[in-house]
């Protein structure tokens, strides 16, 4: 029996990933110690399941497919840049979702119950907030320049895509960073 580090996500097209890569370069010039998300790994996480027994993965894929069919495709606009928990102590750098955020929250809320029922998901303490992780600050070195650069990027626009499916993904951690594999693709009804 093996376990797969598993999550549910919405993918991004190349044009948006390229714009995000340019933003990462701009923010990188601020000199903070950041582990940047690899461009090919950029996505919106709907739910992070953690380690899932590989024998349970087909049930997870089925549950996601069943719920996703009840939703229609929608337009998602990627825009603005920010950080968690706050600009004085940035730890996670992100870009946000404008239009489409409501649909992502509804999708998240609809996927939670069957995955909780399967026992392979634990509800998060904080409210779900759709975003794309740009990188994580790795040290406690001063981040004033990074905070200032983030503030300048508040009006950043990454583009928009039509979201037509949800991905069940696995993540294998390696020396060069995580390697993501699509386990299944659940299509919307229309």
């Amino acid at each position: 029996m093996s376990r797969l580090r598993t999550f549910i996500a919405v993918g991004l097209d190349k044009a948006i990933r390229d714009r995000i890569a340019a933003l990462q370069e701009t923010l990188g010039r601020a000199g903070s110690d950041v582990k940047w998300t690899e461009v090919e790994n950029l996505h919106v996480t709907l739910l992070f399941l953690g380690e899932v027994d590989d024998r349970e993965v087909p049930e997870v894929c089925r549950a996601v497919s069943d719920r996703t069919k009840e939703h229609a495709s929608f337009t998602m606009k990627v825009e603005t840049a920010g950080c968690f928990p706050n600009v004085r102590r940035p730890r996670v750098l992100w870009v946000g979702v404008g239009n489409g955020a409501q649909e992502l929250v509804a999708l998240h809320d609809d996927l939670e119950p069957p995955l909780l029922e399967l026992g392979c998901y634990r509800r998060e303490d904080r409210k779900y907030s759709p975003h794309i992780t740009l990188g994580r600050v790795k040290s406690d070195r001063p981040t004033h320049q990074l905070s200032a650069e983030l503030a300048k990027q508040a009006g950043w626009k990454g583009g928009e895509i039509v979201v037509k499916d949800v991905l069940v993904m696995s993540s294998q951690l390696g020396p060069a960073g995580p390697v993501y594999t699509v386990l299944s693709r659940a299509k919307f009804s229309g």
Side-chain angles (χ1 to χ4, degrees):
M1 160 179 85
S2 66
R3 299 183 72 69
L4 292 173
R5 192 175 152 88
T6 308
F7 61 96
I8 318 297
V10 168
L12 304 171
D13 68 12
K14 184 178 177 342
I16 289 176
R17 288 196 316 267
D18 288 348
R19 285 188 205 102
I20 292 173
L23 177 62
Q24 287 174 320
E25 278 181 38
T26 300
L27 294 174
R29 288 194 284 274
S32 290
D33 190 15
V34 177
K35 165 68 176 103
W36 297 105
T37 303
E38 296 80 4
V39 175
E40 65 276 7
N41 289 347
L42 292 165
H43 64 275
V44 177
T45 301
L46 287 166
L47 298 116
F48 179 73
L49 306 182
E51 300 288 327
V52 174
D53 184 318
D54 61 0
R55 293 175 299 188
E56 294 175 341
V57 169
E59 288 178 65
V60 168
C61 295
R62 198 167 19 262
V64 171
S65 178
D66 289 349
R67 288 298 169 107
T68 302
K69 280 182 206 156
E70 297 174 19
H71 293 260
S73 54
F74 60 93
T75 300
M76 178 176 78
K77 194 175 280 187
V78 177
E79 60 189 16
T80 197
C83 61
F84 298 130
N86 58 55
V87 290
R88 287 182 308 286
R89 232 185 88 244
R91 287 290 154 245
V92 175
L93 309 179
W94 52 261
V95 291
V97 175
N99 291 351
Q102 214 173 344
E103 289 87 344
L104 289 169
V105 170
L107 196 53
H108 167 274
D109 293 351
D110 204 20
L111 289 169
E112 244 188 359
L115 295 170
L116 284 165
E117 213 171 279
L118 285 174
C120 61
Y121 175 70
R122 194 175 54 79
R123 184 172 274 133
E124 302 253 346
D125 292 336
R126 59 186 178 269
K127 186 179 175 297
Y128 175 67
S129 173
H131 66 280
I132 299 153
T133 300
L134 294 174
R136 297 177 190 285
V137 178
K138 296 191 303 187
S139 72
D140 287 331
R141 284 201 325 231
T143 53
H144 311 302
Q145 282 182 284
L146 178 61
S147 296
E149 192 55 49
L150 271 173
K152 285 185 205 166
Q153 300 300 330
W156 179 83
K157 304 276 186 233
E160 64 180 40
I161 59 169
V162 176
V163 179
K164 297 177 181 174
D165 56 20
V166 171
L167 309 171
V168 178
M169 308 274 295
S170 72
S171 166
Q172 194 165 12
L173 301 176
V179 176
Y180 293 166
T181 304
V182 176
L183 302 173
S184 79
R185 190 179 293 273
K187 300 260 185 224
F188 293 124
S189 60

